[in-house]
Amino acid sequence: MKAITNIHHISAIVGDPQETVDFYRDVLNLRFIKQTVNYDDEYTYHLYFSNQSVDSGSIITFFNWKNAHHGRVGSGQVGTIAFRIPKGSTSYWRDRLTQFGVPIKETKLFNQPTLELLDVHDLALALVESNEFFETPEILGFHGAILLSANPKATAHTLTQDLGLAIAGSSTNYDYFYTKGDARHQIGIPKQPSAKGRWGIGTVHHIAWSVLDEKEQTQWHDYLSQQHYGVTEIKNRNYFQAIYFQEPGNVMFELATDGPGFTIDEPFETLGQRLMLPAHFESRRKEISASLPKLNI
Ligand code: ZN
């Protein structure tokens, strides 16, 4: 199989949707690109954010479980979600986050200086500098993610032997990998597995890897099945097609097609302004919309 070149999106479970919008749009300055519902639970929002130019490899999405319990971060989940910021912009972000009252920790992840923070629902985030300078300090996209594998060796095998990631070396506590595409997304796996995680507010549900199109996705589906992964059938997510499987360290992986993309149902300029429903929910728009908390955008 052709190697995976980049992360497509990462989806997390969080709380109040307005708080998510206020944090990701107003504090992190991401673009709010899609308000829709969870296609498997239409009474829950599914909110999408990206960098300002809506590039692949910058999409973070949220299932807003408003009155739910906090989850437990642990093995079988993505741990920290890392965004890439322009070279030299750490001081800008340190000041900005401090102004907004967001506590930061200065650490080292991916063998690089890192700003670690929690979002408004305690989801673990990190900012890591790119090697390149940019005119504005905006978030460029993902830098990568930490995978809290229950079985680090087996997860490393899946990443390198099946998905085609390369080994980037290791630190005292982590083994590192990267995608071979231009984005060079960085993946870290703690050498020591943590206690088992439990989904709930403040945890990541899955990480999706990019595949070109449905043809390539079908090839992946067949290949992964042959390798004895329990892979789902192809699901239509409107903006992309998706297949899911649990890797041997129990983290949920998705393979998502690059197209058709987020402008399939609304113009680029007004992305995220209006509740977008897939065709099969459209006839119930009034009822679904009334059941969702109002968003001030
Ligand atoms: Zn997904």
Side-chain angles (χ1 to χ4, degrees), residues 46-59:
H46 192 188
L47 305 181
Y48 290 63
F49 298 79
S50 72
N51 69 358
Q52 289 298 324
S53 38
V54 198
D55 292 325
S56 163
S58 76
I59 314 294

Side-chain angles (χ1 to χ4, degrees), residues 9 11 206 208 240 244 254:
H9 65 270
S11 295
H206 63 264
F240 48 85
Y244 304 82
E254 174 183 341

